[in-house]
Amino acid sequence: MSKIKPAKGSPYARILGVGGYRPTRVVPNEVILETIDSSDEWIRSRSGIASRHWASPQETVAAMSVEASGKALADAGISPEQIGAVIVSTVSHFKQTPAVATEIAHRIGAGKPAAFDISAGCAGFGYGLTLAKGMVVEGSAEYVLVIGVERLSDLTDLEDRATAFLFGDGAGAVVVGPSDEPAIGPTVWGSEGDKSETIKQTVPWDEFRSTDTAQKFPAITQEGQAVFRWAVFEMAKVAQQALDAAGITPDDLDVFIPHQANMRIIDSMVKTLKLPEHVTVARDVETTGNTSAASIPLAMERLLATGAAKSGDTALVIGFGAGLVYAATVVTLP
């Protein structure tokens, strides 16, 4: 018989606060057109993107995360010292070790929390949220800071007509803590590694180092049509599974916050899921672009800040991308 004492966590977990940071520089499509043969009309019709934010040298992955985290902590009414773990999802922090989460924890004054990075692409926020929920319920941390942050401008090939216009920079953060009622539903997540070549880094770092220095810096590339079909048809199924797991129907939803990859994908998912007209749909991609792991918390923060969504609303969130990986859950908005 085990001698291990049972965990003393909370029966449930919830998102208590959210914060976002967008770099000060706004980059309209006209800037992108300086390096690719295209048009503003083509970019908007293909992606719905009109502009995006690009970080300055001072707006590092850590610096943007600190700004977003400060807002999330203030929104939650939680002091940095109360944070028991910091989880950062990013694919654009170029220092292999230590984890940028440790730097962020120190800079926000969090004391000595557990701190680590995860790499799950555009599904990374959902992965981090799920881990945070488990920590709170299990009792290893009372409050967890979950951050999605990217500087994808560093990994964008501005001469690639298929991707140059897609990516933006930014950071989004949430504080997850105890709850007396269910407020983060079961997560439906997974991976399809047989499709890993559809979104990838062009050249591995070791290969880049060992080849001619004239070679282009590694960038993100993707097979657009394959990704589109997968996202529209397969991710709508995952979203429905998350609704089923939470025990609700589309009629029970107030808000839909999908990964902000492409406006056409978002609109197609809304149609496939047959979401009622009363459901508010996040379309932050228009002015923020695709910010990978940061896109869901950034979209959530904007919906709440503008009043398009309100505290207590029931929201379906789903992230999907490189891997190919995905994660979907239903949450109560802070």
Side-chain angles (χ1 to χ4, degrees):
M1 184 174 181
S2 175
K3 298 179 180 180
I4 299 173
K5 294 180 180 180
K8 295 181 179 180
S10 169
Y12 306 107
R14 69 184 304 116
I15 299 174
L16 299 172
V18 60
Y21 179 82
R22 293 172 173 81
T24 55
R25 183 187 176 193
V26 177
V27 180
N29 287 339
E30 285 74 19
V31 173
I32 307 299
L33 296 175
E34 294 174 4
T35 53
I36 61 171
D37 180 16
S38 188
S39 68
D40 177 65
E41 180 183 3
W42 187 87
I43 293 174
R44 289 174 185 257
S45 66
R46 297 280 293 186
S47 67
I49 298 173
S51 62
R52 72 287 291 148
H53 296 256
W54 282 355
S56 67
Q58 292 73 36
E59 291 169 315
T60 63
V61 164
M64 291 190 293
S65 298
V66 168
E67 292 292 331
S69 298
K71 295 176 182 177
L73 288 165
D75 191 43
I78 299 299
S79 68
E81 295 83 3
Q82 292 176 274
I83 295 297
V86 177
I87 303 171
V88 178
S89 178
T90 184
V91 298
S92 49
H93 176 59
F94 291 159
K95 186 181 289 185
Q96 196 72 35
T97 191
V100 71
T102 59
E103 177 184 348
I104 295 165
H106 173 69
R107 289 178 62 172
I108 66 173
K112 299 180 180 180
F116 58 94
D117 299 348
I118 59 175
S119 176
C122 306
F125 175 75
Y127 276 50
L129 185 64
T130 302
L131 294 173
K133 172 189 173 183
M135 290 178 181
V136 172
V137 172
E138 187 270 340
S140 59
E142 185 175 12
Y143 299 101
V144 181
L145 181 63
V146 180
I147 303 165
V149 57
E150 301 291 3
R151 273 182 54 120
L152 294 181
S153 57
D154 292 334
L155 287 168
T156 299
D157 180 355
L158 293 178
E159 296 179 349
D160 180 358
R161 189 172 184 268
T163 61
F165 58 89
L166 286 176
F167 303 118
D169 303 337
V174 299
V175 175
V176 177
S179 174
D180 293 329
E181 59 183 13
I184 301 176
T187 299
V188 177
W189 58 355
S191 65
E192 297 185 30
D194 60 312
K195 301 179 181 66
S196 61
E197 292 294 302
T198 56
I199 306 175
K200 63 180 182 179
Q201 183 173 307
T202 51
V203 182
W205 295 115
D206 57 346
E207 185 177 323
F208 174 75
R209 181 179 62 179
S210 63
T211 55
D212 186 349
T213 55
Q215 179 173 281
K216 278 188 176 181
F217 192 75
I220 298 173
T221 184
Q222 69 176 30
E223 298 174 15
Q225 287 301 315
V227 172
F228 181 87
R229 288 192 298 270
W230 176 78
V232 169
F233 298 109
E234 298 303 320
M235 291 305 97
K237 297 176 186 176
V238 171
Q240 183 61 57
Q241 290 170 18
L243 292 175
D244 295 341
I248 66 172
T249 70
D251 288 337
D252 298 316
L253 276 181
D254 300 303
V255 184
F256 179 44
I257 311 177
H259 165 48
Q260 302 293 293
N262 179 302
M263 195 75 78
R264 292 170 61 209
I265 291 176
I266 294 171
D267 290 341
S268 294
M269 290 183 71
V270 169
K271 183 177 180 180
T272 302
L273 287 167
K274 298 179 180 178
L275 296 185
E277 290 187 7
H278 75 261
V279 176
T280 297
V281 179
R283 292 188 171 89
D284 193 45
V285 66
E286 180 180 5
T287 56
T288 306
N290 179 344
T291 56
S292 189
S295 79
I296 290 175
L298 278 174
M300 182 184 296
E301 185 267 346
R302 175 162 280 173
L303 288 175
L304 290 166
T306 60
K310 62 184 186 299
S311 175
D313 279 353
T314 300
L316 169 63
V317 300
I318 178 169
F320 45 87
L324 293 170
V325 295
Y326 54 87
T329 188
V330 175
V331 304
T332 301
L333 294 184

